[in-house]
Amino acid sequence: MKRLGMMTFHNKTNIKSFVYRNAINLCIINNHLKYYHKCLYNFQLEDIANVNNVSIQTENINSKWIKLQRMNYKQNGIPKSWDMAFVQDSVACLIYQKDKKCFYFVKQFRPAVYARQLREKALFEGLKLSEKEIHKIGVEKEEEKQLSPLELNLKLEEKVKELPKPKLSIELCAGISDKLNKSPIETIQAELEEECGYRVPIDKIELINSYYNGTGITASVQHLYYLELNNEEEKEWKVSEGGGLIEEGEFLERIEVPLSKIVDTIHDKSLVIPNTLCYGVTWWFLEKATNEERTKYYFKKN
């Protein structure tokens, strides 16, 4: 039996349920955001990949984040059109802990990656259903009429087991530039605290490059930064467990990848590794690594 404030719980599951439902309100009322965020972070790590009740909508979508557009134009007198998606610019940061000789990344569930998994398993089309229909996945209408409620539930359970376990994406600390009146470097400074728990002085954050993403579809700009810290700085800057913002429903896990394993990690086809991470790590070996580190870990023999 465990106590949390004035509440008594008999097992971890009850505590977890309580924290998920009440963390935000308790934080506001008691002004203990940091404490409750730490509680939630401890539970969320085992639940990042706990995804269910999946349905996919393909029509009548009004998105806050993505706006579809079509440009009509003439090129050398030839009429053409091109479909585009307007998205906001973004920021990202490569983090290296030089005393530990490791990189810090974040691991999280990405719906777009999971949708690809479903397409690859030929389940995508079956999930384009309303919530009322979702329980009938894989059950033909004629078959449904012949099944008892118990048999239908068993059929559902069999189908749910077919859904693949989500692959979690390993990424740089990052975010979109949606914070009002914040420059890109101020935005990544905020993301470092939200996702990784570090309140970093802005002069410690180094700009690597700014570049276009997806020139064929979005042409959004990403600003890539670099943060290097040692044991003393990590202890000084650490203000929370990170893990994302509770109020925005973020579930992130900060992970460490040793320098000795970083090249194997970015070449591991079983992992979801975005191109920004690959670029950042390659830049690090070119610009920050010693000749010994470059030879030993980047150009190593298989």
Side-chain angles (χ1 to χ4, degrees), residues 274-291:
N275 55 3
T276 305
L277 189 151
C278 297
Y279 171 47
V281 169
T282 303
W283 171 89
W284 186 89
F285 275 108
L286 290 172
E287 300 291 338
K288 296 294 182 179
T290 64
N291 286 333

Side-chain angles (χ1 to χ4, degrees), residues 4 20 36 44 66 248 256 261 270 275:
L4 182 61
Y20 273 111
Y36 284 103
Q44 77 182 39
I66 301 173
E248 293 184 5
E256 300 179 8
K261 296 184 181 298
S270 70
N275 55 3

Side-chain angles (χ1 to χ4, degrees), residues 71-104:
M71 177 185 286
N72 299 304
Y73 62 102
K74 283 187 177 182
Q75 186 175 25
N76 292 329
I78 302 173
K80 293 185 176 182
S81 65
W82 194 269
D83 293 343
M84 306 168 292
F86 174 79
V87 299
Q88 291 176 299
D89 293 342
S90 60
V91 294
C93 186
L94 176 70
I95 307 170
Y96 182 68
Q97 219 289 12
K98 59 183 178 181
D99 286 336
K100 294 182 181 178
K101 286 190 175 294
C102 72
F103 295 94
Y104 289 162

Side-chain angles (χ1 to χ4, degrees), residues 59-302:
E59 298 177 354
N60 303 317
I61 301 171
N62 185 19
S63 173
K64 177 182 177 181
W65 310 108
I66 301 173
K67 304 297 181 185
L68 295 181
Q69 300 173 333
R70 177 171 293 160
M71 177 185 286
N72 299 304
Y73 62 102
K74 283 187 177 182
Q75 186 175 25
N76 292 329
I78 302 173
K80 293 185 176 182
S81 65
W82 194 269
D83 293 343
M84 306 168 292
F86 174 79
V87 299
Q88 291 176 299
D89 293 342
S90 60
V91 294
C93 186
L94 176 70
I95 307 170
Y96 182 68
Q97 219 289 12
K98 59 183 178 181
D99 286 336
K100 294 182 181 178
K101 286 190 175 294
C102 72
F103 295 94
Y104 289 162
F105 303 125
V106 295
K107 183 164 66 173
Q108 60 184 310
F109 169 75
R110 290 295 196 183
V113 172
Y114 195 50
R116 182 182 179 90
Q117 282 184 256
L118 296 174
R119 283 196 298 272
E120 290 173 349
K121 287 203 67 172
L123 291 170
F124 186 85
E125 291 299 320
L127 291 173
K128 288 162 55 176
L129 304 168
S130 67
E131 289 186 6
K132 290 182 179 180
E133 295 175 306
I134 198 66
H135 71 284
K136 301 175 186 176
I137 295 174
V139 181
E140 299 295 334
K141 288 189 176 182
E142 291 303 315
E143 181 185 5
E144 178 190 346
K145 295 176 182 178
Q146 301 170 10
L147 295 176
S148 68
L150 177 59
E151 290 171 325
L152 187 59
N153 285 336
L154 289 174
K155 192 78 175 180
L156 166 63
E157 290 177 4
E158 291 174 6
K159 192 63 182 179
V160 167
K161 289 177 183 177
E162 294 179 18
L163 293 178
K165 182 178 179 180
K167 291 183 178 180
L168 298 179
S169 181
I170 298 174
E171 307 178 7
L172 302 181
C173 171
I176 58 174
S177 299
D178 63 340
K179 294 176 172 60
L180 294 176
N181 303 317
K182 282 188 181 293
S183 65
I185 195 168
E186 290 171 328
T187 301
I188 196 60
Q189 183 186 40
E191 294 294 343
L192 285 166
E193 182 170 342
E194 293 169 9
E195 295 191 356
C196 299
Y198 299 120
R199 188 168 294 163
V200 182
I202 205 161
D203 62 350
K204 296 292 185 179
I205 304 172
E206 174 186 345
L207 177 65
I208 295 177
N209 200 0
S210 298
Y211 46 81
Y212 286 96
N213 270 330
T215 52
I217 300 295
T218 68
S220 63
V221 171
Q222 183 167 73
H223 306 278
L224 180 60
Y225 295 91
Y226 176 65
L227 173 65
E228 185 171 286
L229 69 166
N230 56 32
N231 289 339
E232 184 179 342
E233 290 167 329
E234 182 167 15
K235 185 177 180 181
E236 178 186 350
W237 298 340
K238 186 80 169 177
V239 294
S240 75
E241 297 296 331
L245 294 177
I246 298 174
E247 59 269 28
E248 293 184 5
E250 291 183 321
F251 293 95
L252 312 171
E253 178 186 355
R254 186 187 66 100
I255 64 170
E256 300 179 8
V257 177
L259 177 59
S260 60
K261 296 184 181 298
I262 188 61
V263 173
D264 291 335
T265 299
I266 63 177
H267 286 98
D268 188 339
K269 301 303 182 185
S270 70
L271 302 175
V272 179
I273 308 290
N275 55 3
T276 305
L277 189 151
C278 297
Y279 171 47
V281 169
T282 303
W283 171 89
W284 186 89
F285 275 108
L286 290 172
E287 300 291 338
K288 296 294 182 179
T290 64
N291 286 333
E292 181 183 358
E293 289 171 332
R294 203 174 291 121
T295 301
K296 185 175 181 180
Y297 300 119
Y298 191 72
F299 296 111
K300 62 182 181 178
K301 302 289 185 182
N302 291 328

